[in-house]
Amino acid sequence: MPEIICYFSPQSGYAYLGHGRLREIARAAGADILWRPVDILKVFAEGGSTAPAKQSPQRNAYRKQDIVRWAKVRGISINTEPKFWPTDTLPACRLIAAAQLEGIDPADLIGACLSAVWVRDIQISERDNLVRLSNEVGLDGEKLATLSDSVEAADKIARNTAAAIEAGVFGSPTYVVDGQMYFGQDRLLFVAAALGVAQEPVAQEHLS
């Protein structure tokens, strides 16, 4: 089975924009997505990247325009000024890791965390909210939240982060297919091509 490694932060706007399309590509290719939540601040530091919230006013103004354009292409909603961004992502990272430790595909939970930030204005650093989001996607939120406090969950995030840094990752989302790295959800067309999946159609009205 082909594999797509996805290094990401659960507060990443571009990870949110690409989440649904990545899953579509994986389904079409019969590929498995290896979800790798990371400590994004360590990834930024090691990769020489500036966190988006600390970039220049000019770059942040452009980013807001860009995410609106991409949200139209993807057919999803997005808030350009989310109430709880940036935030401490480690609680959500560890929650996702806890789901994986339980043998659960975390894709729906990841989507819930991302949309909590970029659509719903829900603080993903708070335990009660993470329990709620887990329950909303049919998981046992209390159980996962408890497991997220374990050494095993923390170690999993540490290993993901170290692997991302070793692979040369410098931002979120980053996809790896057959050893080739693709940074940014706008590179999903290359991920699709690498897996022999047709490109998504883009309606003309989405480009205006």
Side-chain angles (χ1 to χ4, degrees):
M1 177 180 290
E3 293 180 340
I4 308 168
I5 303 173
C6 178
Y7 296 106
F8 71 98
S9 164
Q11 72 168 346
S12 167
Y14 286 108
Y16 164 69
L17 289 166
H19 186 70
R21 178 56 182 159
L22 175 62
R23 296 180 72 182
E24 289 175 356
I25 292 169
R27 283 193 293 268
D32 189 20
I33 303 173
L34 306 182
W35 301 103
R36 299 290 185 260
V38 299
D39 182 339
I40 196 62
L41 294 181
K42 289 184 178 179
V43 170
F44 285 155
E46 292 293 332
S49 298
T50 301
K54 294 184 178 180
Q55 291 172 356
S56 69
Q58 295 89 339
R59 288 197 63 177
N60 271 302
Y62 177 80
R63 177 185 54 80
K64 290 178 183 180
Q65 294 175 354
D66 191 52
I67 64 176
V68 169
R69 294 185 188 117
W70 275 106
K72 288 181 179 179
V73 169
R74 301 291 185 216
I76 57 179
S77 299
I78 195 163
N79 176 7
T80 60
E81 296 186 3
K83 184 176 180 180
F84 299 109
W85 178 92
T87 190
D88 177 10
T89 62
L90 289 179
C93 286
R94 291 193 295 262
L95 185 82
I96 295 162
Q100 293 175 310
L101 289 170
E102 288 290 286
I104 297 167
D105 179 350
D108 288 343
L109 180 58
I110 293 165
C113 289
L114 291 167
S115 63
V117 176
W118 291 97
V119 180
R120 303 175 66 188
D121 278 339
I122 295 173
Q123 173 58 277
I124 62 168
S125 68
E126 294 181 2
R127 186 184 191 280
D128 288 349
N129 289 337
L130 293 175
V131 170
R132 169 188 167 193
L133 293 170
S134 301
N135 290 339
E136 287 178 353
V137 296
L139 303 178
D140 186 334
E142 285 291 344
K143 181 178 181 180
L144 291 183
T146 298
L147 183 56
S148 73
D149 292 330
S150 68
V151 172
E152 291 80 5
D155 283 349
K156 191 170 182 63
I157 301 308
R159 291 194 302 271
N160 290 348
T161 304
I165 292 168
E166 177 68 22
V169 173
F170 52 87
S172 169
T174 297
Y175 316 105
V176 179
V177 180
D178 290 333
Q180 294 295 307
M181 188 173 80
Y182 307 93
F183 168 61
Q185 68 87 33
D186 54 339
R187 268 53 173 200
L188 281 171
L189 74 163
F190 296 122
V191 173
L195 294 166
V197 174
Q199 300 303 315
E200 62 182 328
V202 179
Q204 185 62 39
E205 60 267 23
H206 292 158
L207 302 178
S208 60

